[in-house]
Amino acid sequence: MDVPKVPRRSAASELAGLLDSPEISGLITELDETRWTGRPGYPIRAMVGMALAKSLYAIPTWTRTVALVSEHAALADAIGGTVPSVYACYRFTAKLRRYSDLLDACIARVTASLGRELPELGRDVALDASDLPAYANGQRFVSKGGRERERFSDPDASWGHRSAVSTRKGGGFYGYRVHAAVCARTDLPLAWTGETAGSHESNYVAPLLDATKARGFAPETCALDKGYDSGPIYDACEDRDARPIIPLRETAAVKAGKAGPPTCGHGEWRFAGSDSKRGASKWRCPTGECKPASRWVKADRLHPLVPRETPRWRKLYRGRASVEREFGRLKNEWALSPLRVRGIERVRLHADLTILAKLSCALSRARAIPLAA
Ligand SMILES: [Zn+2]
């Protein structure tokens, strides 16, 4: 992408609509109240408008965002008529980092409003991590055997490893990783965090589920890929009343045949429901001839409350694709990547602003379309 995109969608009116929404205008008002110096500067509404436009039009840099808005009168009008300078945009992002609590509150208002518009939002969630290669150069030395690189280094970025999945090649990458919980029914992100690439995904399951709940959602199930298949992850989900939906890795216990339904001389036992309070699933002898003919199996990694043998598990696991789809959209259509900032605080702000723009658009669309019968 060498030239700024021509505004897509109904562009300017959409941007103005977002700025006027109660969720975003609340942020503008709160930021306005933090102006401690008498320096006039650009109106906060114009600055927030620039930040939204950057994601809306998937523009990687402020320079191009300023160019785009300057070239399109309707866009400039939408943010109030005056186009801020590139330098003002940088200054504004510094301010947003300082007032990240206000930005968090704004995001929470948007997710809460989405929850009111979409009653099923957050009932089933999918959780995963995605790579964000650093803007900085990952080479530690300027040349082979040369001096250590200083100017282009990003002290917060680190080396991470990704496994080969389908057509994607595995290997190391340098930078960051976004961990996110998305709604498996709508693909909308509900909670996320930017971390360094070396961060291990399993450490973010509990915090992301807690953050999702803190935003007012009550996930009943949580779908994760094989990389999360370890005992503590199942406990983290169950402790938060979400049924873990995770495929099994071929561990020793699995190879020894300890997973799956109980069996008897009459064959494989049938699933007869789960009791989450009891923390166990019930299984029955296929012919009912055994005494007792049914028994409870305590929930664990090998015997989750939603058994892997059931159609429900398979359906919920298909929902896991939502998180990958959403990462793809955020990267390709909303410019989540490639990164053009260094340092974890800037990377986090970039992710927050990108996802805020995405969610705000989803909200304005949900409001435009009355609830389907
Ligand atoms: Zn039997």
Side-chain angles (χ1 to χ4, degrees), residues 264-267 269 285-290:
C264 67
H266 308 108
W269 285 32
C285 161
T287 64
E289 289 167 80
C290 282

Side-chain angles (χ1 to χ4, degrees), residues 98-343:
R98 211 157 44 240
Y99 292 100
S100 59
D101 51 332
L102 299 184
L103 183 59
D104 283 346
C106 174
I107 292 168
R109 284 195 293 275
V110 173
T111 54
S113 299
L114 275 166
R116 281 188 290 275
E117 297 293 329
L118 311 165
E120 295 199 325
L121 189 70
R123 197 171 292 175
D124 298 305
V125 303
L127 222 137
D128 201 2
S130 189
D131 310 340
L132 285 182
Y135 185 33
N137 192 320
Q139 302 298 322
R140 186 168 171 196
F141 299 97
V142 172
S143 59
K144 202 177 173 188
R147 69 182 171 82
E148 207 163 324
R149 189 180 299 275
E150 286 164 18
R151 277 179 59 211
F152 299 106
S153 66
D154 182 336
D156 297 330
S158 67
W159 281 94
H161 184 83
R162 57 185 164 189
S163 48
V165 171
S166 66
T167 55
R168 189 189 77 191
K169 263 175 84 179
F173 75 101
Y174 181 74
Y176 298 89
R177 187 170 266 165
V178 195
H179 303 261
V182 314
C183 168
R185 299 185 188 199
T186 60
D187 297 5
L188 295 172
L190 303 173
W192 56 90
T193 178
E195 302 292 336
T196 192
S199 59
H200 200 276
E201 55 246 39
S202 50
N203 295 334
Y204 299 93
V205 174
L208 284 174
L209 281 176
D210 288 341
T212 303
K213 287 171 87 98
R215 285 187 173 158
F217 302 99
E220 293 167 11
T221 68
C222 180
L224 302 136
D225 71 18
K226 235 181 232 198
Y228 293 87
D229 176 36
S230 73
I233 303 292
Y234 291 79
D235 295 340
C237 292
E238 282 296 345
D239 288 348
R240 289 159 183 82
D241 239 354
R243 306 286 89 82
I245 306 295
I246 313 173
L248 277 177
R249 282 178 300 123
E250 284 285 310
T251 54
V254 175
K255 281 184 192 141
K258 289 183 182 162
T263 54
C264 67
H266 308 108
E268 201 166 81
W269 285 32
R270 295 197 182 125
F271 177 60
S274 281
D275 183 337
S276 59
K277 286 209 183 76
R278 187 192 278 254
S281 54
K282 196 177 195 180
W283 296 81
R284 271 199 194 102
C285 161
T287 64
E289 289 167 80
C290 282
K291 294 257 186 305
S294 70
R295 65 182 171 95
W296 289 97
V297 176
K298 198 181 171 305
D300 61 11
R301 170 180 167 249
L302 299 175
H303 305 96
L305 291 182
V306 180
R308 297 185 182 84
E309 295 77 16
T310 58
R312 181 165 183 235
W313 188 94
R314 285 191 287 276
K315 180 171 177 261
L316 289 167
Y317 190 65
R318 275 198 298 277
R320 204 205 66 84
S322 59
V323 64
E324 278 182 15
R325 271 198 305 271
E326 188 58 17
F327 279 135
R329 276 189 212 109
L330 288 170
K331 289 179 177 184
N332 298 320
E333 299 170 25
W334 299 84
L336 179 60
S337 73
L339 287 177
R340 286 291 179 269
V341 290
R342 299 185 180 94

Side-chain angles (χ1 to χ4, degrees), residues 14 18 31 35 68 119 159 198 222-223 292 307 343-344:
E14 181 164 37
L18 297 187
L31 286 170
R35 289 212 157 166
L68 178 84
W159 281 94
C222 180
I344 193 148

Side-chain angles (χ1 to χ4, degrees), residues 8-19 56-57 361 364-365:
R8 57 181 168 155
R9 303 177 185 130
S10 53
S13 65
E14 181 164 37
L15 179 56
L18 297 187
L19 289 168
L56 235 45
Y57 301 113
C361 284
S364 87
R365 256 156 243 178

